[in-house]
Amino acid sequence: MNGFVFSQKPIEIESGSGPYLTSTDGTEYLDMGASYAVASVGHSHPDVVAAVQQQAEELLFVQGSYPVAVRQALREKLAAIAPGDLEDVWLANSGTEANEAALKFARHATGRSKIVAANRAFHGRTMGSLAATWKGKYKQGFEPLAGDFVHVPYDDPEALAAAVDEETAAVILEPIQGEGGIRPASTEYLQTAREVTAETGAALVFDEIQTGLGRTGTMWAHETAGVVPDALTVAKGLGSGLPVSATVVADWIADDPGNHGSTFSGSPIVAAAAGATLDVIEAESLVENAASVGGYLQSRLAALDEPRDVRGEGLLVGIEVKRGANRHLKHLALDHQILALPAGRTVVRLLPPLVVDESHADETVDALAEVLA
Ligand SMILES: *Cc1c(COP(=O)(O)O)cnc(C)c1O
């Protein structure tokens, strides 16, 4: 699927530290994909490991209806960094579930069913989120999907405005499309999305599962457009690898606690990992680092001859390449010990841990220059 398979030379990973992964044969790899943006604060960050160890000794799990300090603290931290008046935090176990919750809440609060999503969107693979996802490959064999989803061209304000009406429960958008090829939306597009949803009473959902928590050089990718959504979904880097996601919503679409839930959601152990991860992002100024190292990385990439197009924000970067991305990724891994990801067939995607510095950027660009030549 999205990952690339090492058919000739499997790399078996044994350990990780900072932006590096080490294989069983002792080779060190620079992980410029952060294992799908999960290792945002670096692999096995000592603070996160310590928080998990301590929590494991105290309490692995207790049902969600009992207040637990570590879970409560995570909710408060997420509410504090969420934009505007988004303060109601629902925890879940994966990105797709965070989107399911947002869509359920929007339907319930509006009493409507139509959801507008964008071409090339990726929102997950459970039945509801899958219906919002665009690519046929993910949906084939699973029809009929959840109903009443409409797709419109991405970053086309007029097409979006035409599709949103009084029957629309929600518009769900990635401020920068990730799986769809690293495609940033214009400010005008996000502002139009805000205007047309406000006018029609629909909820605006921003899926920041890949773009959130500092990756783009701001806490949230949509921030620069100066709009506040009604719901925000967060996952990938939140728990440094433990399964945790969040749907942060405005009061008007917040549901009653009895209407949605999941046994494992926000368990003490994942809450400890996520709380520690958020603390590291703040303590190590990783949002600022993503902005400065990301800017440096992108300016160096733009100066290369070979790529046709370099897109992204901060440390979420797509490089349009010829002849298929996987071929280049394999060379990067095997010849240069740099792990990156594809984003569609012709895009090499870099989304490294937010702890990388300019030397890691240099190493990656120099290797790419050779590989792409
Ligand atoms: C990865 C991703 C998802 C799905 O998250 P899972 O944890 O794999 O379910 C949803 N939306 C976006 C933008 C993503 O990048």
Side-chain angles (χ1 to χ4, degrees):
M1 300 267 160
N2 267 313
F4 96 88
V5 178
F6 294 88
S7 47
Q8 294 142 331
K9 199 172 180 207
I11 297 173
E12 195 183 329
I13 301 298
E14 192 168 67
S15 61
S17 175
Y20 292 101
L21 286 167
T22 305
S23 63
T24 45
D25 67 3
T27 310
E28 205 171 65
Y29 293 86
L30 178 59
D31 186 8
M32 290 298 286
S35 294
Y36 282 98
V38 169
S40 250
V41 300
H43 287 281
S44 299
H45 192 291
D47 292 4
V48 179
V49 171
V52 168
Q53 280 172 338
Q54 196 195 331
Q55 186 58 49
E57 280 169 26
E58 269 169 28
L59 181 67
L60 281 173
F61 186 78
V62 65
Q63 70 190 70
S65 48
Y66 292 109
V68 182
V70 69
R71 178 157 51 220
Q72 202 41 41
L74 174 59
R75 286 215 176 90
E76 279 161 22
K77 281 177 199 171
L78 282 166
I81 59 172
D85 57 353
L86 270 59
E87 276 175 5
D88 205 77
V89 180
W90 292 71
L91 300 170
N93 315 287
S94 65
T96 194
E97 282 173 273
N99 285 336
E100 294 283 348
L103 298 179
K104 279 181 72 180
F105 298 161
R107 281 191 170 191
H108 207 189
T110 60
R112 309 168 181 178
S113 60
K114 179 174 154 186
I115 310 281
V116 178
N119 293 359
R120 288 205 171 96
F122 184 84
H123 297 296
R125 300 179 193 230
T126 51
M127 289 306 264
S129 303
L130 184 62
T133 290
W134 184 67
K135 218 186 205 173
K137 188 180 87 177
Y138 296 126
K139 303 199 238 187
Q140 253 158 40
F142 302 112
E143 292 99 348
L145 302 169
D148 228 355
F149 282 77
V150 175
H151 284 85
V152 294
Y154 186 69
D155 207 19
D156 180 339
E158 275 157 39
L160 182 65
V164 178
D165 55 25
E166 313 280 318
E167 255 119 68
T168 308
V171 170
I172 182 165
L173 292 173
E174 299 156 86
I176 301 175
Q177 291 189 324
E179 307 301 307
I182 315 299
R183 297 171 197 280
S186 63
T187 292
E188 187 200 350
Y189 185 60
L190 299 180
Q191 288 175 348
T192 301
R194 181 63 285 180
E195 280 158 24
V196 296
T197 47
E199 278 162 18
T200 53
L204 179 61
V205 181
F206 282 155
D207 175 345
E208 293 239 21
I209 287 168
Q210 185 158 165
T211 52
L213 298 178
R215 172 146 303 278
T216 62
T218 46
M219 185 58 81
W220 310 107
H222 72 266
E223 243 174 81
T224 46
V227 297
V228 176
D230 302 297
L232 178 69
T233 57
V234 194
K236 289 199 160 76
L238 179 57
S240 290
L242 272 80
V244 55
S245 64
T247 309
V248 191
V249 301
D251 223 28
W252 76 271
I253 70 163
D255 220 318
D256 297 329
N259 286 339
H260 181 73
S262 164
T263 303
F264 291 133
S265 65
S267 82
I269 193 80
V270 304
T277 301
L278 294 178
D279 289 347
V280 171
I281 290 172
E282 195 188 335
E284 298 185 10
S285 305
L286 295 184
V287 184
E288 295 77 5
N289 192 63
S292 71
V293 179
Y296 177 77
L297 173 67
Q298 289 191 50
S299 67
R300 280 224 50 203
L301 285 168
L304 289 178
D305 309 329
E306 184 65 17
R308 285 171 287 184
D309 195 12
V310 177
R311 301 187 291 263
E313 280 300 331
L315 290 172
L316 173 64
V317 184
I319 305 135
E320 192 81 41
V321 294
K322 295 173 193 148
R323 289 168 305 196
N326 275 337
R327 191 169 160 271
H328 300 302
L329 291 169
K330 191 167 172 178
H331 280 242
L332 268 184
L334 300 183
D335 303 336
H336 298 275
Q337 291 72 53
I338 294 175
L339 306 179
L341 297 164
R345 271 228 307 256
T346 60
V347 177
V348 168
R349 169 170 41 167
L350 303 176
L351 63 168
L354 308 183
V355 301
V356 291
D357 59 29
E358 291 188 358
S359 75
H360 300 116
D362 283 333
E363 190 183 333
T364 304
V365 178
D366 293 344
L368 265 171
E370 245 184 84
V371 164
L372 297 177

